[in-house]
Amino acid sequence: QQQQQQQRKHERLWVMKEENLGPRSSCDALPLFTLRCNCNELLASMYLTAGDYPRAVIEVNEMDATVSTYPQTLSSLVAHCEMVRGHALHSMGKYRDAVKAFTKAAERAKTPSFRDLATLCAALGELATGGTKGASKALDLAQPICRRHEDFLQNEEEKNKRKKSREEVNNNDDDDDDDVL
């Protein structure tokens, strides 16, 4: 019994399992875990730039271990972790695995822009695999994003035209008022 009490005394439950995180300690832990994941990401990027791909993968795996241990607290970083993994795998020439990581990132993305970025990275991975199948898959992934982007630009252009015409009408009304005086 005394030994169990001593173990409990040295054990930090909030670090061991997410279920043991209370609402308050979960909020307190989020900045620390986010910082830890950011450090892993920066180290992975540094190793990728230096060409040390195995060490980059180690950093990605550490980042993934943190995110996997606290999936609810760090849910916003799950997609980001997969993106970093995809970049590391792509740099190592493991294009199929990179495509899987980018696809997982796109599925778990919290924002449309991040989803589109991950999907385009998956398309580039498909393109890198070579052959007509890879190119065809890349086009299938990229076309909807390009269409959405073109639609957005067209809508913005129409909005600007309407705004200019309203401004011209307002300016003409002001000129008419000046003529009456």
Side-chain angles (χ1 to χ4, degrees):
Q1 230 180 12
Q2 189 178 21
Q3 194 176 20
Q4 284 178 342
Q5 286 177 345
Q6 201 171 28
Q7 279 181 329
R8 285 186 196 147
K9 188 177 182 181
H10 295 289
E11 188 177 317
R12 299 177 108 189
L13 293 177
W14 64 273
V15 174
M16 305 306 273
K17 293 182 180 176
E18 188 169 37
E19 298 86 50
N20 296 329
L21 278 172
R24 181 69 186 148
S25 58
S26 174
C27 291
D28 292 343
L30 180 62
L32 171 69
F33 293 138
T34 304
L35 179 63
R36 182 176 174 179
C37 288
N38 288 343
C39 288
N40 289 130
E41 179 191 0
L42 290 172
L43 285 169
S45 297
M46 182 182 74
Y47 291 135
L48 285 173
T49 302
D52 192 350
Y53 305 128
R55 287 180 80 180
V57 171
I58 289 170
E59 292 302 328
V60 170
N61 289 339
E62 284 187 25
M63 182 178 173
D64 185 48
T66 303
V67 171
S68 297
T69 304
Y70 305 99
Q72 292 172 332
T73 305
L74 299 175
S75 64
S76 62
L77 295 177
V78 172
H80 193 72
C81 181
E82 290 301 326
M83 279 291 283
V84 175
R85 178 186 313 287
H87 288 297
L89 292 168
H90 193 275
S91 296
M92 294 173 68
K94 297 181 178 182
Y95 303 120
R96 293 271 177 230
D97 293 332
V99 168
K100 289 177 187 174
F102 290 135
T103 302
K104 203 183 278 188
E107 290 168 355
R108 296 178 179 180
K110 298 284 185 189
T111 63
S113 59
F114 194 86
R115 182 195 62 230
D116 290 349
L117 178 64
T119 303
L120 288 175
C121 287
L124 290 172
E126 288 288 357
L127 198 57
T129 61
T132 55
K133 275 188 177 180
S136 177
K137 284 183 181 178
L139 282 173
D140 289 343
L141 288 170
Q143 279 180 336
I145 296 168
C146 292
R147 275 191 217 109
R148 275 196 306 275
H149 182 70
E150 288 169 356
D151 290 345
F152 174 79
L153 290 176
Q154 186 177 5
N155 289 337
E156 287 297 308
E157 193 175 301
E158 289 173 7
K159 244 192 261 182
N160 287 336
K161 285 180 183 178
R162 285 192 301 263
K163 185 179 176 181
K164 281 183 181 179
S165 67
R166 272 188 253 130
E167 287 174 358
E168 287 176 7
V169 168
N170 287 339
N171 286 340
N172 287 342
D173 287 346
D174 288 343
D175 290 344
D176 291 342
D177 290 342
D178 290 342
D179 291 342
V180 173
L181 294 173

